[in-house]
Amino acid sequence: MDKLLEANNLTKRFSQGNVISRAILTAVDNINFYIKPAEIFTLAGESGCGKTTTAKMILGFEEVTSGQLLRNGEPQTDKEKAWITEGVQAIFQDPFSTFNPMRRVDAYFHETVYNFKLAKTKKDAIDWIDQKLQLVGLTYQDVAGKYPSEFSGGQLQRISIARALLTDPKLIIADEPVSMVDASLRMSIVNLFKQLRDELGVSILYITHDLATAYYVSDRIAIMFRGKIVEMGSVEDVLMNPRHPYSKLLRDSIPQADPNLRWDSRVTLAELEHEEYSRKGCRFAGRCPEVMDICKTVVPPDVRIDDVFVHCHLYEELEEA
Amino acid sequence: MAESKQVVLRTEHLKSFYILDMQGTQKVVKAVNDVNLEIYENEIYSIAGESGCGKTTLLKTLFNEIVPPQRLVDGKLYYRINSEEVDVTTFSAEEKRKLRMEYISYIPQGSMSVFNPVIKIKGTYEDFIGSHVEVKNRDEIFAIARERIQELGLPKNVLDVYPHQLSGGMRQRVTIALASSLNPQIMIGDEPTTALDVVVQRGVIQMLKDIQKKLKNTIIMVTHDMGVHANIADRIGIMYAGKIVEEAPTEKIFDMPLHPYTQFLINSLPKFGDKTMRESVPGSPPSLADLPTGCPFHPRCPHVKDICREKMPETIKVDAEHKVACWLVEEEFNG
């Protein structure tokens, strides 16, 4: 199968403290996933589940502790950080801190065009920029000479997508791209991702905690919990029929915009996050409604049911059968 | 049920602007522009709208906390205190201070900055409760605090830790427990669940509902997340450019939204099991310092007519509980 990006046993450990007492926190623990060309792949989970750390490793902002990242089957080495800038681009959460408030927005576009030698003359550069801005529903006239404060959050986020498109990337890493954008304007950004996938064949790694937009936009999804991927498969399978108890909890906790679908059950919240990271067996065991003895001591296996991977003891027998 | 409801907070043509003097030119930000509200006892009223529509300013005005450059330009704000309606806009600073915590309390959004980071949680409790309750010693204050914390199912030892030792969700819950500790009649929440994880958000909503049920008081909250509204609110007010453009019980807002803006807000939300194309509201919200003439929504409205550009529609009652300010509805309604 054609894989644009593949992560094999990707792990990231952070260590805190000094020589005498050292705490090790495994932020990303042995995860495997791949992204196909022209698909939207979602990494979903709560804060502290390691989704942003994964994005940072793909972008080369964080060193990989162990494991491998492959692009088109080629491993990423230190010397080849270049592929990051050529084939992969990033969009970040807060559009207001993406741009320097004292710098005109078009300067970012000209700088990228210059650095990548995308145009020979000023006119070519403007045409190139205008073409990319039109993809997101803006024109060069709209941004020329303006400062970030003159745009709304939604507009700025679209501008940062246009900037990412300048180098014709194959993969865009979008880290919580809509969480700072007003609810009424969110869909315009999300629809843009669909349009980019369908028209330009760009793949998008969509990192979010918002399962409703993830369902709407993505093809496949991986649910992360405390550094582990607990369930991965197509959005239809994972979100409409969640198997892992954590996916079920997460899916049920999305407030539905329908007063007839109010919650009738209650949730228990984790008291200490660190405890969950250092748990020996399954990290969800402390809160899991279907916890068994084995969960507290043995790390659950990755079970494959149909096309879905579930990281849970509950389904162990199914695989053997 | 609707008949015997007691109004606990009422506003009449409330107008609160930010008046800024910039090198001789005056800039007026019309953040709360002619708002009429009637909020009942024993209900959760929530206000929805985009950022920059004046939601937070409205809450500050309702809390009777108006600090320049914000000014109360016009209108009246009534609280019902000891079964009597009182106009609180004329209160002195000391009278206002007395009402806080005991009659009306405030739950802020960023719980990170609520607690003093260098003193333990119990220090903050001591400051807040101690300035409102006559007690002989600190232990009585901690007894009040501990009782509420235990009732809400929070761990007992939260009083003895520093704010940074708590997770964001726990800190938000401790903040809510603090705001409710003197059994206020009204609690005002400014995006109390925003910036929390979904599971934690669910826990916080659950806790707000528990408190409301227990105290039988009123919660007025603001959030932009329609999913949260659907889950918590009894009645919803939709705010746009400083005005309440539609108001109805939660079921009605979701089943039969009348204002085009409300329709956009609700139809733009993605739903599980439905992948059909969703559109967001076209254009962007107007600047409150430079409002368009007539209905402020007309530049973004797909059903715009000539009259919308000229005159702001009156708020009309579609039925006993459903109010809307839109020319489309007005025409249909009045024939």
Side-chain angles (χ1 to χ4, degrees), chain B residues 93-308:
Chain B
E94 177 59 21
E95 284 173 304
K96 283 184 192 170
R97 194 193 69 81
K98 272 198 180 137
L99 286 181
R100 294 198 186 124
M101 289 294 285
E102 286 172 74
Y103 181 79
I104 187 163
S105 69
Y106 193 82
I107 309 161
Q109 175 178 10
S111 58
M112 193 69 204
S113 46
V114 174
F115 293 104
N116 184 341
V118 295
I119 59 172
K120 289 182 179 168
I121 301 282
K122 63 179 179 188
T124 308
Y125 266 80
E126 198 183 327
D127 287 349
F128 271 86
I129 301 174
S131 59
H132 286 275
V133 183
E134 296 274 326
V135 285
K136 286 188 213 84
N137 56 39
R138 298 166 66 192
D139 289 341
E140 282 183 45
I141 292 172
F142 297 147
I144 297 174
R146 235 174 235 124
E147 196 195 324
R148 180 47 45 89
I149 279 172
Q150 277 182 355
E151 276 170 7
L152 296 172
L154 300 176
K156 268 180 281 182
N157 55 1
V158 289
L159 286 178
D160 298 311
V161 300
Y162 288 97
H164 73 266
Q165 291 172 288
L166 300 174
S167 65
M170 183 63 82
R171 222 178 296 134
Q172 188 66 35
R173 283 182 290 160
V174 174
T175 311
I176 295 171
L178 175 62
S180 75
S181 48
L182 296 178
N183 305 329
Q185 265 297 304
I186 306 174
M187 288 170 74
I188 288 183
D190 187 1
E191 305 257 11
T193 65
T194 310
L196 297 174
D197 276 321
V198 281
V199 181
V200 179
Q201 167 170 290
R202 184 175 167 191
V204 170
I205 290 173
Q206 184 176 294
M207 181 170 154
L208 279 171
K209 279 174 143 176
D210 286 351
I211 293 178
Q212 198 273 333
K213 242 183 220 152
K214 202 175 119 32
L215 301 178
K216 297 214 175 354
N217 63 359
T218 304
I219 296 181
I220 305 171
M221 65 177 263
V222 146
T223 170
H224 65 265
D225 188 335
M226 292 306 282
V228 174
H229 285 294
N231 262 288
I232 194 168
D234 295 317
R235 288 194 304 143
I236 297 178
I238 307 282
M239 195 161 178
Y240 188 80
K243 289 176 195 291
I244 300 284
V245 294
E246 188 163 5
E247 183 190 272
T250 310
E251 285 79 11
K252 266 203 186 128
I253 284 278
F254 283 93
D255 293 345
M256 202 183 68
L258 289 177
H259 198 281
Y261 178 63
T262 319
Q263 288 166 359
F264 265 121
L265 271 188
I266 288 164
N267 294 334
S268 72
L269 298 166
K271 285 199 181 89
F272 289 112
D274 181 5
K275 277 204 168 188
T276 50
M277 193 72 174
R278 303 269 162 185
E279 292 290 345
S280 48
V281 190
S284 42
S287 157
L288 293 173
D290 182 20
L291 287 172
T293 54
C295 170
F297 189 61
H298 85 253
R300 303 170 78 185
C301 185
H303 314 289
V304 62
K305 291 183 295 192
D306 288 342
I307 191 162
C308 304

Side-chain angles (χ1 to χ4, degrees), chain A residues 9-14 25 28 57 62-67:
Chain A
N9 302 323
L10 199 64
T11 301
K12 177 72 195 176
R13 283 193 201 92
F14 292 105
L25 188 122
V28 176
M57 283 194 284
E62 290 280 2
E63 242 173 79
V64 176
T65 310
S66 67

Side-chain angles (χ1 to χ4, degrees), chain B residues 83-96:
Chain B
S83 13
E84 245 180 272
E85 212 164 60
V86 196
D87 180 6
V88 292
T89 50
T90 54
F91 272 28
S92 68
E94 177 59 21
E95 284 173 304
K96 283 184 192 170

Side-chain angles (χ1 to χ4, degrees), chain A residues 291-303:
Chain A
V291 65
M292 300 178 287
D293 287 340
I294 188 171
C295 303
K296 289 174 186 158
T297 47
V298 184
V299 177
D302 281 323
V303 185

Side-chain angles (χ1 to χ4, degrees), chain A residues 5-183:
Chain A
L5 181 89
E6 197 178 354
N8 286 333
N9 302 323
L10 199 64
T11 301
K12 177 72 195 176
R13 283 193 201 92
F14 292 105
S15 63
Q16 294 172 317
N18 51 33
V19 186
I20 301 152
S21 74
R22 187 168 285 275
I24 291 190
L25 188 122
T26 313
V28 176
D29 191 359
N30 240 330
I31 63 168
N32 294 290
F33 66 90
Y34 61 88
I35 300 170
K36 287 185 281 193
E39 81 164 349
I40 300 179
F41 181 75
T42 299
L43 266 184
E46 294 177 279
S47 49
C49 75
K51 51 193 196 306
T52 298
T53 310
T54 309
K56 283 184 176 167
M57 283 194 284
I58 296 169
L59 289 167
F61 297 164
E62 290 280 2
E63 242 173 79
V64 176
T65 310
S66 67
Q68 254 188 333
L69 276 169
L70 305 171
R71 192 181 74 142
N72 295 331
E74 311 242 328
Q76 173 197 10
T77 62
D78 282 350
K79 280 182 187 162
E80 284 173 308
K81 283 253 170 78
W83 70 258
I84 294 298
T85 45
E86 277 165 20
V88 186
Q89 282 285 339
I91 303 160
F92 299 100
Q93 178 171 7
D94 185 355
F96 294 99
S97 60
T98 305
F99 296 98
N100 180 345
M102 305 297 284
R103 204 164 169 225
R104 289 196 311 271
V105 169
D106 52 341
Y108 287 89
F109 285 87
H110 285 293
E111 190 179 57
T112 311
V113 170
Y114 178 79
N115 286 345
F116 283 85
K117 301 186 176 60
L118 295 169
K120 287 202 177 72
T121 64
K122 183 103 193 247
K123 200 189 156 291
D124 282 355
I126 291 174
D127 284 347
W128 184 258
I129 295 166
D130 189 52
Q131 186 198 333
K132 300 298 174 193
L133 279 167
Q134 278 180 8
L135 288 171
V136 301
L138 294 163
T139 62
Y140 185 75
Q141 297 305 320
D142 292 337
V143 300
K146 284 192 180 167
Y147 287 92
S149 61
E150 292 173 67
F151 297 98
S152 71
Q155 278 175 322
L156 274 184
Q157 200 61 292
R158 279 191 278 155
I159 291 170
S160 64
I161 294 170
R163 193 214 53 81
L165 289 173
L166 276 180
T167 59
D168 285 329
K170 287 276 159 292
L171 175 65
I172 291 179
I173 313 283
D175 190 358
E176 300 268 13
V178 296
S179 60
M180 300 282 288
V181 178
D182 251 315

